[in-house]
Amino acid sequence: MRTVGCLIFDGVRAFDYAVVGEVWARRPGVPAFDLRVCGPERTRVRLGGGLERVPDFGLDALAGCDLVVVPGVEDPGAPRDPSVLAALREVSARGVPVAALCAGAFVLAESGLLDGREATTHWALAPELARRFPAVEVRPEVLFTGGDGLWTSAGVAAGIDLCLHLVRAAHGQQAAATIARVMVTAPFRAGGQAQFIPSPVPEERGDDCLAAARAEILASLDHPWTVRRMAAAAMMSERSFARRFVAATGTTPLRWLLEHRVLAAQRLLEETDLPVDTIATRCGFGSAVSLRPAFVSRLGVAPREYRRAFRAT
């Protein structure tokens, strides 16, 4: 996934356009990305905030990309250029993955690509997306969702999360971590994590206990962690622990544990020559057979295939 097309047209949000440029910029320590800014007829495009940009390529250049990213739009209800929608349908039919950030999901939905699929967008826009496109299964609670060539994200920071996820899946954790470090952003947030946390400032003592428990769990992923055992590590009852954990992290304890076990397995596959069974045991899966479905559901490939692909790049 070296050649990335950023599709721009009138009304694209300047922030999302800038995110694409930052994530797939050329810099030391990451693959030499070729970012193509594409637009209709290469005419001047009016971005949000009064900015303008002349695309470097026309819409036909999208067909030669390994990934196409659609930034969010300022007005989800504005009509789209039919040539933009046709271009998206064409590249998707060719098998090129397409990702939409924030309200860019409305553009994919208008093109028909999201019919019968799960999708998300900014939580405030999710009801409108569901109303206008009833064939789309809208998930307003998650940061990003997708697979099988089509991805959507929630607003603002979630767009960065999705972009880093796509880099991580194609080029490994080290590349994604390098980009995140330069951008001074979190290197990893799971797509199933809640878009916002209802209680962003938990009780100080509870937060300290939770932080200590999370650190203990991450240091011993091979242990047979249960919610009861996690709660004991945090010195809480199971009910209080589960409630405070969701309030502090936006996800459940077991979902958080699974995401970090997969992340640890991914890192060991990239950085070591350990057998997959050994990696599975170290990360708490017990065996390669148990690791495989969790790995495939999050990254789209089996552990051995991921290792071969990463080593090849």
Side-chain angles (χ1 to χ4, degrees):
M1 195 176 287
R2 300 292 184 91
T3 305
V4 179
C6 179
L7 175 58
I8 63 172
F9 43 86
D10 286 345
V12 160
R13 294 183 70 232
F15 178 87
D16 292 343
Y17 163 71
V19 164
V20 178
E22 278 293 312
V23 171
W24 282 283
R26 287 178 175 255
R27 55 171 61 92
V30 300
F33 297 121
D34 176 17
L35 179 61
R36 300 180 179 180
V37 179
C38 306
E41 300 180 2
R42 297 180 64 180
T43 56
R44 187 175 299 277
V45 168
R46 295 184 297 278
L47 305 177
L51 302 178
E52 294 185 339
R53 173 72 155 89
V54 177
D56 301 317
F57 299 87
L59 295 175
D60 56 334
L62 295 173
C65 295
D66 304 316
L67 168 71
V68 172
V69 183
V70 182
V73 293
E74 294 283 344
D75 181 2
R80 303 298 160 205
D81 186 331
S83 67
V84 169
L85 304 179
L88 287 171
R89 287 190 290 266
E90 181 180 347
V91 296
S92 181
R94 288 172 175 262
V96 179
V98 179
L101 310 186
C102 194
F106 284 81
V107 182
L108 291 195
E110 192 172 345
S111 72
L113 294 179
L114 296 182
D115 288 356
R117 293 177 176 268
E118 290 186 349
T120 193
T121 187
H122 191 288
W123 60 267
L125 298 174
E128 182 182 352
L129 183 64
R131 178 184 59 80
R132 288 181 53 193
F133 303 100
V136 180
E137 184 181 344
V138 180
R139 296 190 59 194
E141 76 281 7
V142 298
L143 291 179
F144 59 83
T145 188
D148 193 25
L150 286 170
W151 296 86
T152 54
S153 82
V156 194
I160 300 176
D161 295 325
L162 174 56
C163 292
L164 290 176
H165 171 80
L166 295 171
V167 171
R168 188 181 302 110
H171 303 288
Q173 284 200 78
Q174 189 58 49
T178 298
I179 295 169
R181 190 178 303 115
V182 173
M183 296 178 67
V184 196
T185 189
F188 173 77
R189 288 202 301 170
Q193 185 171 324
Q195 286 196 27
F196 64 93
I197 299 171
S199 302
V201 186
E203 295 179 20
E204 185 175 349
R205 179 181 175 278
D207 189 49
D208 287 345
C209 292
L210 285 174
R214 290 198 297 269
E216 181 180 345
I217 294 165
L218 291 176
S220 53
L221 288 172
D222 57 321
H223 290 189
W225 289 103
T226 62
V227 175
R228 175 177 293 182
R229 186 168 182 174
M230 294 182 201
M235 296 180 290
M236 298 180 187
S237 69
E238 288 185 55
R239 179 175 297 180
S240 293
F241 173 77
R243 175 174 52 80
R244 290 184 177 180
F245 196 99
V246 172
T249 67
T251 189
T252 66
L254 292 179
R255 183 178 296 171
W256 175 89
L257 175 63
L258 183 59
E259 294 288 355
H260 280 278
R261 280 176 164 164
V262 172
L263 197 64
Q266 190 179 357
R267 182 167 57 251
L268 289 174
L269 287 167
E270 294 175 15
E271 299 175 358
T272 74
D273 293 316
L274 292 171
V276 176
D277 269 315
T278 301
I279 291 174
T281 300
R282 286 193 180 186
C283 297
F285 289 99
S287 69
V289 174
S290 299
L291 167 63
R292 192 179 193 279
F295 205 90
V296 170
S297 69
R298 283 152 182 79
L299 296 171
V301 294
R304 288 184 174 85
E305 294 170 1
Y306 177 83
R307 170 174 271 173
R308 284 195 295 269
F310 180 78
R311 295 295 172 85
T313 57

